[in-house]
Amino acid sequence: MADVARSAGVSLKTVSRVINGVSTVDVAMAARVRDAAGQLGFRANFAASALRSGSSSATIGLLIKDLSNEFYATIASGVAEVARAHQTQLITAHSGENAEDEMEAIFDLCRRRVDGLLIVPTGGNHSALRSEIDLGIPMVFLDRNPVGLDADSVVIDNYAGARDATLTLISEGHTRIGVLVDTLNMPTMRQRVEGIHAAFAAAGLPWDDTLLSTNVRGPAEASIAVERLLSLSVPPTAFFCGNNRSSIGALRTLWEQRRTEALVAFDDFQLAELMPRPFRVLRYDNRALGTLGAELLFRRISGEIFDPVTVVLSTELCPRGIQNFQ
Amino acid sequence: MADVARSAGVSLKTVSRVINGVSTVDVAMAARVRDAAGQLGFRANFAASALRSGSSSATIGLLIKDLSNEFYATIASGVAEVARAHQTQLITAHSGENAEDEMEAIFDLCRRRVDGLLIVPTGGNHSALRSEIDLGIPMVFLDRNPVGLDADSVVIDNYAGARDATLTLISEGHTRIGVLVDTLNMPTMRQRVEGIHAAFAAAGLPWDDTLLSTNVRGPAEASIAVERLLSLSVPPTAFFCGNNRSSIGALRTLWEQRRTEALVAFDDFQLAELMPRPFRVLRYDNRALGTLGAELLFRRISGEIFDPVTVVLSTELCPRGIQNFQ
């Protein structure tokens, strides 16, 4: 501020008044102060104080892929709640489309002086983050474990959830189950498909790969996939949707065509109980991905030392939709 | 980095290898480097370079209230799309519960070296932001106009939307309409209620204040409000819900009780068309609040000079829900 005053040729008090928007300052003088402040990068006083002190910024960062998906938004909301309880600001950044963009976004958050990071990783190798953690920015991974890095995580029991739900469908007499999943580059999707395969193997049933639709990214692709599966010469008698986005598309198509095939969907979602046909969801505590992850992070930030932990959230199969619909 | 090397008594190359997590560095030496880096605040090299250059950070900030609400999440998603197209990072922060926390969150984002800010304001007076804007951080307000500050905004035509929808209900014979709104401290809610009042006045009908439920914050409160209104000695024959959260609760209760009262709801929402009863939504381009706001902001960031503009998005009444449900 003293530099700004010197450069603008005004008193320190005048600089302060301009910065604070006091309107009694002469217009030309105020402009001179702003010019000087701009040239000297005065804005960055927070960055300057952070440089000096090395102290806590009372901020944590969250990296997620897509805010418009209820799944990620609920995680963020859980994190925000815990951050508030710790009087800590939360800033959220968006991972890009690929692993490189994701790492860039993580390093960017680190440079913005956060006390710790929560990351929903989309893929790639995370070993390059070791140095950031060692330099004092703890990280907790949500929904997926980090790759090439031993760090805390909170994940869902994808394998057992998908396996047990499939065993239930098999016990009800279904031997052909149409499966809709997002890209198998996502470990969560791979785990879910592996669970389905395990159920078929355990029941001694053959698995037919034509019943698997991959790269189902949203409701529209899910509708197309369901139509393809229904048009097979021996169509499935049940569907397994890998996430909430695909189940919304599948529900829409099955409803529009008044089909009665069974449907099991990973992820519960808002209004699921008002859908016009019965189905089942693999529910888990979505919000807990955020709250438990944030609590782990604050333990790390407070300096607590413990071996990296992985918290695994279990799933349960729950009825949804209107049962007596006709 | 040179300071770190000097302080730790090692070569620059060693510092670089420790920072980059190369595992062949002697453990004790690596620890010494990390200590030196920690003491010297080496992490903050980004902040340091920002201080020096005063240049663009290629980042914009977004301040929203509640990520778990689809309304805000969709805005954020629109902003993220435009930011990506401008090769700009988006960081999102959460406004607190009151106007003071909101201002604190805005100033915090400013100190983190953003090129501009998008704000969904929750209330309070924004005149203190004048100096930040003058110092070179343009701001665009979404969904609500700023108070005490002349700045760009993108808003919804709440008044005309609510008035016209109410006139439609009146033209269908409804003279008692139950209204559910969030707190009237929100200008958007006040505008919607004023639109409803205007429709009653235009039709020459008296307005009965017992039909207004305020402070309806979510689905649970909406259910209670609907039950209260239905239990009145002369209950309403139609309902007007002020936002998506209240319409979800109202829909649930009206469905559970198999009530056939008309329902009009501000805000469209995912799966609205699969609700088990007909109703109507006041739809608008929710995502455009984010995209148009972000485009305005990037024009400001690029140095374009124009008088503050307010973009007003119109609404349209659309049928939703399953029409032939029984």
Side-chain angles (χ1 to χ4, degrees):
Chain A
M1 213 144 105
D3 292 343
V4 175
R6 205 157 33 237
S7 170
V10 300
S11 72
L12 206 58
K13 196 171 166 192
T14 302
V15 175
S16 165
R17 286 161 80 203
V18 172
I19 301 299
N20 292 305
V22 176
S23 59
T24 53
V25 179
D26 175 78
V27 174
M29 194 186 282
R32 217 159 70 224
V33 171
R34 281 190 211 106
D35 282 353
Q39 276 160 25
L40 291 166
F42 176 76
R43 312 231 64 281
N45 55 342
F46 177 80
S49 70
L51 261 175
R52 274 195 304 273
S53 65
S55 66
S56 164
S57 63
T59 303
I60 59 171
L62 168 67
L63 189 86
I64 48 179
K65 188 181 168 201
D66 176 12
L67 270 178
S68 70
N69 185 329
E70 181 181 342
F71 173 76
Y72 297 106
T74 305
I75 291 176
S77 168
V79 172
E81 180 191 304
V82 176
R84 219 169 9 246
H86 283 80
Q87 269 121 40
T88 295
Q89 181 75 13
L90 168 66
I91 61 177
T92 306
H94 308 256
S95 54
E97 298 295 307
N98 56 53
E100 204 175 298
D101 289 349
E102 176 178 310
M103 289 301 273
E104 186 42 52
I106 293 172
F107 283 119
D108 181 78
L109 277 173
C110 290
R111 287 188 295 257
R112 282 173 206 281
R113 305 279 311 167
V114 289
D115 296 332
L117 271 185
L118 293 149
I119 299 166
V120 183
T122 54
N125 186 294
H126 301 98
S127 55
L129 299 177
R130 181 77 264 160
S131 58
E132 295 289 330
I133 296 175
D134 289 344
L135 281 165
I137 301 193
M139 300 185 190
V140 175
F141 290 76
L142 307 180
D143 192 40
R144 297 152 213 164
N145 287 302
V147 176
L149 180 71
D150 200 17
D152 301 322
S153 60
V154 185
V155 298
I156 300 159
D157 198 349
N158 297 295
Y159 178 85
R163 183 196 59 203
D164 294 351
T166 306
L167 282 173
T168 300
L169 284 172
I170 291 173
S171 76
E172 291 165 359
H174 299 287
T175 58
R176 288 180 67 73
I177 301 174
V179 175
L180 281 58
V181 289
D182 203 334
T183 168
L184 293 181
N185 289 335
M186 293 168 71
T188 48
M189 290 297 149
R190 282 202 303 277
Q191 290 156 7
R192 290 169 195 188
V193 170
E194 283 161 13
I196 294 168
H197 286 174
F200 272 78
L205 286 170
W207 169 253
D208 178 357
D209 233 17
T210 62
L211 295 180
L212 176 67
S213 275
T214 58
N215 298 309
V216 177
R217 293 187 180 278
E221 289 96 331
S223 288
I224 293 166
V226 167
E227 280 171 16
R228 177 186 78 76
L229 290 164
L230 287 175
S231 71
L232 292 176
S233 58
V234 189
T237 58
F239 289 90
F240 186 108
C241 290
N243 65 19
N244 60 354
R245 306 264 301 147
S246 61
S247 56
I248 285 168
L251 273 168
R252 195 170 284 157
T253 299
L254 292 172
W255 155 251
E256 282 166 2
Q257 302 195 12
R258 302 296 190 277
R259 308 288 307 210
T260 57
E261 282 79 3
L263 173 65
V264 167
F266 227 103
D267 304 335
D268 200 359
F269 54 90
Q270 182 173 272
L271 295 174
E273 81 280 14
L274 286 180
M275 291 296 97
R277 73 178 322 268
F279 69 110
R280 282 167 289 189
V281 296
L282 272 169
R283 201 199 72 78
Y284 51 87
D285 193 347
N286 182 353
R287 196 176 170 80
L289 283 171
T291 55
L292 296 180
E295 280 160 14
L296 266 176
L297 186 67
F298 278 109
R299 286 174 59 193
R300 292 280 180 202
I301 291 171
S302 74
E304 210 179 313
I305 291 168
F306 50 94
D307 285 340
V309 295
T310 297
V311 179
V312 181
L313 303 178
S314 62
T315 65
E316 58 171 337
L317 200 59
C318 302
R320 290 289 182 272
I322 294 167
Q323 303 300 312
N324 56 348
F325 185 84
Q326 45 180 336
Chain B
M1 211 144 105
D3 291 342
V4 175
R6 207 159 30 239
S7 171
V10 299
S11 73
L12 207 57
K13 197 170 164 193
T14 302
V15 174
S16 166
R17 287 162 78 205
V18 172
I19 301 299
N20 292 307
V22 176
S23 59
T24 52
V25 180
D26 175 78
V27 175
M29 195 187 283
R32 216 159 70 223
V33 170
R34 281 191 210 106
D35 281 353
Q39 275 160 25
L40 292 166
F42 176 76
R43 314 228 62 281
N45 56 341
F46 177 81
S49 71
L51 261 174
R52 275 195 304 272
S53 66
S55 68
S56 165
S57 63
T59 304
I60 59 170
L62 168 66
L63 188 85
I64 48 180
K65 190 183 166 197
D66 176 13
L67 271 177
S68 70
N69 186 330
E70 181 182 341
F71 173 76
Y72 297 106
T74 305
I75 291 175
S77 168
V79 171
E81 180 192 304
V82 176
R84 220 169 10 245
H86 283 81
Q87 270 120 38
T88 294
Q89 181 76 14
L90 169 65
I91 60 176
T92 306
H94 308 256
S95 53
E97 297 296 306
N98 55 53
E100 204 175 296
D101 290 349
E102 176 178 310
M103 290 302 273
E104 185 42 52
I106 293 172
F107 283 118
D108 181 79
L109 276 173
C110 291
R111 286 188 296 255
R112 283 175 205 281
R113 304 278 314 167
V114 290
D115 295 334
L117 270 185
L118 293 150
I119 299 166
V120 183
T122 54
N125 186 292
H126 301 97
S127 55
L129 300 176
R130 182 76 264 160
S131 57
E132 295 290 329
I133 295 175
D134 289 343
L135 281 166
I137 301 194
M139 300 185 191
V140 176
F141 290 76
L142 307 179
D143 191 42
R144 297 152 213 166
N145 286 301
V147 175
L149 180 72
D150 201 17
D152 301 322
S153 60
V154 185
V155 298
I156 300 158
D157 199 348
N158 297 296
Y159 178 85
R163 183 196 57 203
D164 295 351
T166 306
L167 282 172
T168 300
L169 285 171
I170 290 172
S171 75
E172 292 165 359
H174 298 287
T175 58
R176 289 179 67 74
I177 301 174
V179 175
L180 279 59
V181 288
D182 202 334
T183 168
L184 293 180
N185 289 335
M186 292 168 71
T188 49
M189 289 297 148
R190 281 202 304 276
Q191 290 156 6
R192 291 169 194 188
V193 170
E194 282 161 14
I196 294 168
H197 286 174
F200 272 79
L205 285 171
W207 168 254
D208 179 356
D209 234 17
T210 61
L211 295 181
L212 176 67
S213 275
T214 59
N215 299 309
V216 177
R217 294 186 180 277
E221 288 97 330
S223 289
I224 293 166
V226 167
E227 281 171 17
R228 178 186 76 78
L229 289 164
L230 287 174
S231 72
L232 290 176
S233 57
V234 190
T237 58
F239 288 90
F240 186 108
C241 289
N243 65 18
N244 61 353
R245 306 265 300 147
S246 61
S247 56
I248 285 167
L251 273 168
R252 196 169 284 157
T253 299
L254 292 172
W255 155 252
E256 282 167 2
Q257 302 195 11
R258 303 295 190 280
R259 308 289 306 212
T260 56
E261 283 79 2
L263 173 65
V264 166
F266 228 103
D267 304 334
D268 200 359
F269 54 91
Q270 181 172 272
L271 297 174
E273 81 280 13
L274 287 180
M275 292 294 99
R277 75 180 319 269
F279 68 110
R280 282 167 288 188
V281 296
L282 272 169
R283 201 199 72 79
Y284 51 86
D285 192 346
N286 182 354
R287 196 177 171 81
L289 284 171
T291 54
L292 296 180
E295 279 160 13
L296 266 176
L297 186 67
F298 278 109
R299 286 174 59 194
R300 293 281 179 200
I301 290 171
S302 74
E304 210 179 311
I305 291 169
F306 49 93
D307 285 339
V309 296
T310 297
V311 180
V312 181
L313 303 177
S314 63
T315 64
E316 57 171 338
L317 201 58
C318 301
R320 289 292 182 270
I322 295 166
Q323 304 299 312
N324 57 350
F325 185 84
Q326 47 180 332

